[in-house]
Amino acid sequence: AVADNPDAVFANPAGLGLIKTRQLSYTNVSLLFSGIDDDNLGQHVVSYVQPLGSKLGLGLGFERIGSDLMSENGAFLSLAYRLGRSLQLGLTGKYLFWSVGDIPNDPVSGKADPLSNSGSGALGIDLGLMWKSPIAGAQLGVLVKNVNQPNVAKSTIKGDADAGKVPMDVHVGASYKIGGTSLVSAQWVLRDVSGEVANRLVVGGETVLVQGLMVRAGGSKIFEEDASGDVTAG
């Protein structure tokens, strides 16, 4: 329910309909971990938003996480359409793909690793909805992620047709702005709705301390056996 910047490409494409200016966003995470033999493990996320008149919004995004040896990637194209002052719909088409570099042969048997110098990918679809409620400051959002459950390993894994299938997730959230300086949000996440469903509750908030300085915090609870939760703040 909080998708008001270029990250809407990933979080909820319907939010692109609320953005009125061109925006560019880039995030780099260089992990303080050398990876596999100093393999430069890290993450790059870039997105761009372009309003198209009063009713349409366009978003482009790219995400890469991995290392010099292997990576998982996504290229995103999103569109949002405003049905009225209160309701926006969003659609994302994405190409999810991975690649693996040269893996040395098994030192004992001499056999080659089956994934060495390989890669594959598939097209996926996300659907989003954003609704401004009659209550001032309150907003609802829905994201159905991986509607078509793309299989990103169909051509590389033999004998298991579902080995690379990406599960369909459903996210339902609500946000409320307080006095123009604070915001709270809650989101219920259903992962793998067509299989073994896993549930997660995500709650967060932010407030402006003084002009130019904001604090934000959030946490989640995972409702699975032996699972806990996490808290993040900045």
Side-chain angles (χ1 to χ4, degrees):
V2 186
D4 55 3
N5 59 37
D7 286 337
V9 172
F10 312 108
N12 186 349
L16 297 173
L18 301 174
I19 300 174
K20 298 180 180 179
T21 60
R22 287 180 291 179
Q23 296 185 27
L24 177 67
S25 174
Y26 173 70
T27 299
N28 168 246
V29 181
S30 297
L31 301 180
L32 299 177
F33 169 64
S34 61
I36 305 169
D37 294 331
D38 298 319
D39 207 30
N40 298 320
L41 184 64
Q43 183 180 25
H44 301 268
V45 182
V46 61
S47 52
Y48 172 76
V49 175
Q50 172 70 60
L52 301 175
S54 60
K55 290 186 177 293
L56 286 173
L58 170 71
L60 300 172
F62 182 80
E63 181 176 22
R64 180 189 188 276
I65 183 168
S67 64
D68 293 339
L69 178 63
M70 58 187 70
S71 65
E72 296 181 358
N73 315 277
F76 298 75
L77 172 62
S78 302
L79 283 172
Y81 180 72
R82 299 191 67 170
L83 292 176
R85 297 181 62 183
S86 302
L87 185 63
Q88 289 80 227
L89 299 178
L91 170 68
T92 294
K94 57 189 180 181
Y95 182 63
L96 306 175
F97 60 103
W98 56 273
S99 64
V100 178
D102 185 32
I103 301 176
N105 293 347
D106 187 285
V108 178
S109 66
K111 291 183 178 180
D113 190 291
L115 292 181
S116 182
N117 294 309
S118 65
S120 184
L123 293 172
I125 297 172
D126 298 341
L127 297 175
L129 178 147
M130 192 80 75
W131 179 60
K132 283 188 175 182
S133 79
I135 302 173
Q139 193 162 266
L140 300 177
V142 177
L143 173 69
V144 183
K145 196 173 182 180
N146 305 312
V147 174
N148 60 326
Q149 300 182 71
N151 191 324
V152 297
K154 203 168 187 179
S155 61
T156 54
I157 305 297
K158 308 298 182 183
D160 188 350
D162 294 329
K165 184 179 287 186
V166 183
M168 179 170 61
D169 303 341
V170 176
H171 302 236
V172 180
S175 66
Y176 182 63
K177 293 183 179 179
I178 305 170
T181 59
S182 302
L183 179 146
V184 294
S185 70
Q187 180 170 296
W188 186 258
V189 180
L190 300 172
R191 181 162 174 79
D192 196 4
V193 295
S194 59
E196 298 181 3
V197 179
N199 302 286
R200 169 181 276 190
L201 176 65
V202 185
V203 178
E206 64 184 25
T207 187
V208 177
L209 299 179
V210 295
Q211 186 175 0
L213 181 62
M214 174 182 286
V215 62
R216 172 183 289 175
S220 67
K221 170 63 178 175
I222 305 171
F223 295 93
E224 299 175 42
E225 187 176 352
D226 299 327
S228 57
D230 57 68
V231 176
T232 304

